[in-house]
Amino acid sequence: AHKFRFQHPVFTEVEVADFNEKQIEDFANNWFVAFSKNNQEQGLALAAQFIDKLKQRENQQIRELSVTPILLNLTCLVFQSIGNFPSKRYKLDEQGLDILLRRWDETRGIKRDEFYRNLDVIHKKELLSQVAAITFERGDYFFEQDKIQRYIADYLHTLPNAITDRATLQRDSEGVLKSIEAQHGLLVERARGIYSFSHLTFQEYFTARYFVESSDPQALENLSNHITEKRWREVFLLTTEMLPN
């Protein structure tokens, strides 16, 4: 924006409101009808099951997430896939993201970058976990394109039979970034050359996953250093849910 000169530089800041109960129901009805290829009877029946389950006491945590449209969409995806809600919050993130990483580009008919096509889901999760942990640790919710491409290139460099040529890594890291943005919507370009996770929940989930899956014996000790920081609350809750002990 600094390249432009506005005649009347007066801006009104607004915040997108959470969905209320009726809006959640309207969204679910429209979503399941659309998913059922506009078979209204079938779609509304699925939506009724979804809404009924959502209102149950044991699903209060999921109901609280559903006031946000992007997370409501994720919740619909999971319910359509398994016909129920998972018992734990992190399972909702895990199953929803698994659907996004495996099937989202297929249903949208998007052709993937050749290098990205060779990355399996495990590597995609490892990559996103590393990016999330680095940026969250630094308090970066928005990051420049060259920085995130550097994080991606650092990860690609660790893969078996990795190419070490700097120019190739640079090209591949850009292709991976653009593929994640176009196909899954987990990373988005907020402004020219400025990226973020599309929702803080995804950054928190992948950060927690990084600590749980890390081979570094000091990982959990490093996490515990943030115990007094309020912004780490969700990461701690997700991490403790994921840990077997």
Side-chain angles (χ1 to χ4, degrees):
H2 72 278
K3 295 180 180 178
F4 300 92
R5 297 291 180 269
F6 297 102
Q7 291 181 342
H8 305 286
V10 179
F11 298 90
T12 302
E13 292 187 14
V14 297
E15 182 177 343
V16 178
D18 290 340
F19 275 174
N20 59 34
E21 188 173 329
K22 183 180 184 305
Q23 289 170 323
I24 291 173
E25 292 186 11
D26 288 344
F27 182 100
N29 286 329
N30 292 332
W31 194 97
F32 283 102
V33 167
F35 189 89
S36 302
K37 298 181 179 177
N38 292 318
N39 182 327
Q40 191 164 15
E41 185 177 350
Q42 182 182 350
L44 291 177
L46 276 171
Q49 294 174 32
F50 172 85
I51 293 164
D52 182 60
K53 288 275 188 181
L54 196 63
K55 289 180 177 179
Q56 293 176 12
R57 181 178 297 177
E58 63 266 25
N59 294 321
Q60 180 180 347
Q61 193 177 31
I62 293 173
R63 189 164 63 249
E64 289 171 358
L65 292 176
S66 297
V67 300
T68 304
I70 192 172
L71 300 181
L72 178 55
N73 177 63
L74 200 71
T75 306
C76 290
L77 275 172
V78 172
F79 187 86
Q80 184 280 325
S81 179
I82 65 175
N84 207 337
F85 297 126
S87 58
K88 293 187 176 181
R89 151 72 193 284
Y90 88 90
K91 281 288 185 184
L92 177 69
D93 292 335
E94 187 177 82
Q95 293 171 5
L97 291 168
D98 199 54
I99 292 169
L100 290 180
L101 289 170
R102 288 181 189 277
R103 298 193 294 180
W104 193 241
D105 55 334
E106 296 172 8
T107 58
R108 296 169 73 191
I110 292 174
K111 184 179 178 181
R112 292 180 283 179
D113 173 83
E114 183 178 354
F115 182 87
Y116 187 69
R117 189 164 54 242
N118 294 326
L119 284 180
D120 59 29
V121 172
I122 292 174
H123 286 127
K124 292 175 186 177
K125 288 180 177 179
E126 286 180 350
L127 168 61
L128 288 164
S129 295
Q130 184 164 308
V131 170
I134 292 171
T135 53
F136 197 84
E137 179 88 38
R138 296 177 179 179
D140 293 340
Y141 302 108
F142 300 91
F143 21 86
E144 296 171 352
Q145 183 172 342
D146 61 342
K147 280 188 178 180
I148 192 170
Q149 283 187 211
R150 197 180 318 132
Y151 303 149
I152 293 172
D154 288 344
Y155 175 78
L156 298 181
H157 192 268
T158 66
L159 295 176
N161 303 316
I163 296 172
T164 57
D165 176 66
R166 188 172 179 180
T168 304
L169 275 174
Q170 175 74 11
R171 185 193 65 223
D172 288 343
S173 65
E174 182 176 7
V176 167
L177 173 61
K178 295 298 182 181
S179 293
I180 293 172
E181 177 186 15
Q183 293 157 32
H184 315 306
L186 295 175
L187 293 171
V188 293
E189 189 173 20
R190 300 292 187 180
R192 182 68 63 86
I194 303 295
Y195 282 81
S196 76
F197 280 86
S198 53
H199 196 278
L200 180 59
T201 290
F202 302 147
Q203 191 175 11
E204 291 169 337
Y205 167 79
F206 281 117
T207 299
R209 187 182 183 279
Y210 174 84
F211 285 104
V212 171
E213 300 289 337
S214 178
S215 58
D216 181 1
Q218 297 295 313
L220 292 178
E221 187 174 332
N222 294 338
L223 173 62
S224 69
N225 292 332
H226 300 287
I227 191 71
T228 60
E229 298 176 49
K230 186 177 179 181
R231 71 184 189 89
W232 283 82
R233 171 181 163 80
E234 290 300 320
V235 175
F236 274 96
L237 293 176
L238 288 166
T239 300
T240 53
E241 273 195 340
M242 290 183 202
L243 287 171
N245 183 346

